[in-house]
Amino acid sequence: MVYAIVRAGGRQEKVEVGTVLTVDRQKAAEDGTVTFAPVLLVDGEKVTHSASDLAKVTVTGEWLADTRGKKIVIQKFKNKTGYKKRQGHRQELSRVRITAIG
């Protein structure tokens, strides 16, 4: 079993070939591919974590779609002052299917 831990949008995700990720908005290349920086690579019993060895490894995926996340509501309130504030936010996301680890 081969899998990798990649850095994607400020977080780390465990990916295998065929995994569909939802990450922060990524800009795809002209051919629709996205590359990720690996942090750890596990190939059966062999674990690779040194930076010099990981520089040779690439994790690529195909861009599927741009989406938006669930709406979150931010509410602020201060008692006895009449201060109320309401704000919403939807994160811009991309869906990516991992195609190769090598």
Side-chain angles (χ1 to χ4, degrees):
M1 176 171 73
V2 178
Y3 69 88
I5 307 293
V6 297
R7 187 173 299 120
R11 295 183 305 277
Q12 294 180 358
E13 301 277 347
K14 177 183 173 184
V15 297
E16 298 174 2
V17 174
T19 303
V20 177
L21 287 178
T22 303
V23 295
D24 289 342
R25 184 67 58 93
Q26 296 281 327
K27 185 141 183 124
E30 292 85 25
D31 58 351
T33 61
V34 179
T35 59
F36 294 101
V39 177
L40 180 81
L41 177 68
V42 177
D43 186 4
E45 294 293 320
K46 184 180 175 194
V47 177
T48 305
H49 57 81
S50 67
S52 61
D53 293 338
L54 288 174
K56 303 170 191 169
V57 177
T58 59
V59 178
T60 59
E62 70 171 307
W63 173 87
L64 298 176
D66 283 335
T67 61
R68 295 185 65 175
K70 182 180 171 184
K71 184 167 186 172
I72 61 170
V73 177
I74 299 111
Q75 290 185 337
K76 296 179 181 179
F77 173 79
K78 290 189 179 179
N79 197 16
K80 299 179 184 173
T81 60
Y83 174 77
K84 291 187 278 187
K85 183 178 180 183
R86 184 173 183 212
Q87 178 182 355
H89 176 75
R90 289 184 71 183
Q91 186 67 32
E92 308 243 332
L93 303 171
S94 292
R95 292 182 54 84
V96 177
R97 178 182 295 120
I98 302 300
T99 56
I101 299 174

